[in-house]
Amino acid sequence: MLRYLNYIIGAAFAFVLLLALWGTASELISNPPEETAEEVFHLEPMALHLQSDGPFGTYDLRQVQRGFQVYKEVCSACHSLKQVAFRDLQKIGYSEAQVKAIAADWQIEQPGVNKDTGEAATRPNVPADRFPLPFANDVAARAANNNAIPPDLSLMAKAREGGPAYIHSLLVGYTDPKTYTHDGKALMKEFPDFSVPTGLHFNPYFANLNIAMPPPLTQEGQVQYQDGTRPTINQMAKDVSAFLMWAAEPNLTKRHATGVGVVLFLLIFIGLTFGAYRNVWRGIKH
């Protein structure tokens, strides 16, 4: 008797769940939720073509060096690169002497200890050091950035969907929401109550359209390239995106070369195996 009672209770519970599910589904069908500004006006990253794209891609070292210059002169004031060491810059074409000079001249020094007093101090960077953090701690980072902690950029090109294309689009995507249109729709006409909170900035490539980071690239010539390349905002954004792609995957070229070698080996091995098979079985009739 108790077993049948359990069946009845279970069936009643399942019926109530199905009834609730049906009610929710019916409500969504009859009264679908209104679209939000984020759903209508958020944009996917623009296409960005880099030399590192594809299975045979390699890094354009001149472009990566230009991107490092943009990071050094613009991005490093707020964003860390804590997974990269100064000596890694030799992989993008800098000499050992140049790397030593870059490390020694870096604006922020490494934390250390005064050997005479034992008190906290700083010391110049050396090539073996990783890039130092721009802020002493998260509290200082929030205080300087409208209560938002600037993310580390070491793996940003791999951590965000779209990779370097997302970074490039975000950097060039700042615009005025009052005049912004997409697919023939005006933001302020479709959503007249939309506003950008104080301290935030409108960017349709950011997930919720409002980002704490102000436009870092604001004018042509903000960085003076040493190789003579014209430093437009688009060019600087593209170059720093290429640099951050290298920072996230510095061994990409080697990995691609290894992959090509493995594929060629397998093709040769398959050919030799097939030839051996034909040689062993050629005199045997089926």
Side-chain angles (χ1 to χ4, degrees):
M1 184 65 180
L2 182 61
R3 182 175 63 181
Y4 292 116
L5 182 61
N6 290 336
Y7 288 157
I8 293 173
I9 294 174
F13 183 70
F15 175 75
V16 171
L17 287 179
L18 289 174
L19 190 63
L21 178 62
W22 172 256
T24 302
S26 299
E27 179 66 21
L28 289 175
I29 293 173
S30 59
N31 297 302
E34 295 183 359
E35 289 185 311
T36 64
E38 292 86 347
E39 293 173 326
V40 177
F41 290 97
H42 176 249
L43 302 181
E44 294 299 320
M46 296 179 288
L48 178 66
H49 303 290
L50 298 176
Q51 187 173 304
S52 57
D53 293 342
F56 305 106
T58 59
Y59 288 119
D60 180 346
L61 296 186
R62 290 183 63 186
Q63 182 178 47
V64 175
Q65 287 185 10
R66 293 197 302 269
F68 169 66
Q69 188 178 347
V70 176
Y71 168 77
K72 177 183 178 181
E73 298 183 20
V74 179
C75 310
S76 65
C78 297
H79 294 277
S80 58
L81 202 67
K82 61 185 179 182
Q83 301 299 327
V84 181
F86 286 101
R87 62 186 175 192
D88 293 333
L89 296 177
Q90 290 183 251
K91 297 178 181 179
I92 61 174
Y94 288 104
S95 67
E96 183 177 351
Q98 288 175 314
V99 170
K100 287 182 178 179
I102 291 171
D105 294 339
W106 199 257
Q107 185 176 1
I108 302 172
E109 296 188 333
Q110 294 288 331
V113 176
N114 188 312
K115 63 180 180 180
D116 296 323
T117 65
E119 297 180 352
T122 59
R123 62 168 178 80
N125 298 285
V126 297
D129 289 324
R130 297 180 186 272
F131 283 85
L133 302 179
F135 300 103
N137 50 53
D138 289 350
V139 176
R142 289 184 183 276
N145 294 278
N146 195 34
N147 204 36
I149 300 177
D152 179 73
L153 298 183
S154 303
L155 301 175
M156 187 59 65
K158 303 292 287 185
R160 295 291 186 270
E161 184 177 359
Y166 166 78
I167 297 172
H168 170 261
S169 297
L170 190 71
L171 291 175
V172 301
Y174 290 88
T175 188
D176 184 355
K178 296 179 181 179
T179 58
Y180 178 70
T181 60
H182 174 60
D183 285 344
K185 298 179 180 179
L187 172 63
M188 299 310 298
K189 183 177 180 179
E190 298 290 330
F191 299 92
D193 295 332
F194 179 85
S195 63
V196 179
T198 302
L200 300 184
H201 307 271
F202 180 74
N203 192 317
Y205 294 98
F206 195 65
N208 65 1
L209 305 183
N210 297 316
I211 185 172
M213 179 177 70
L217 301 174
T218 57
Q219 60 183 355
E220 181 174 332
Q222 189 171 343
V223 174
Q224 293 298 320
Y225 285 141
Q226 298 173 359
D227 65 358
T229 300
R230 182 182 175 186
T232 63
I233 292 178
N234 184 68
Q235 183 67 54
M236 290 185 289
K238 185 175 182 179
D239 292 342
V240 77
S241 300
F243 169 71
L244 293 177
M245 181 62 200
W246 169 82
E249 198 164 1
N251 297 318
L252 177 140
T253 301
K254 183 178 180 181
R255 181 169 60 81
H256 284 178
T258 301
V260 171
V262 169
V263 170
L264 291 176
F265 170 79
L266 290 176
L267 291 175
I268 294 172
F269 179 76
I270 291 171
L272 292 174
T273 302
F274 181 72
Y277 163 79
R278 293 295 300 271
N279 184 60
V280 170
W281 293 92
R282 65 182 176 181
I284 299 177
K285 296 182 179 180
H286 294 284

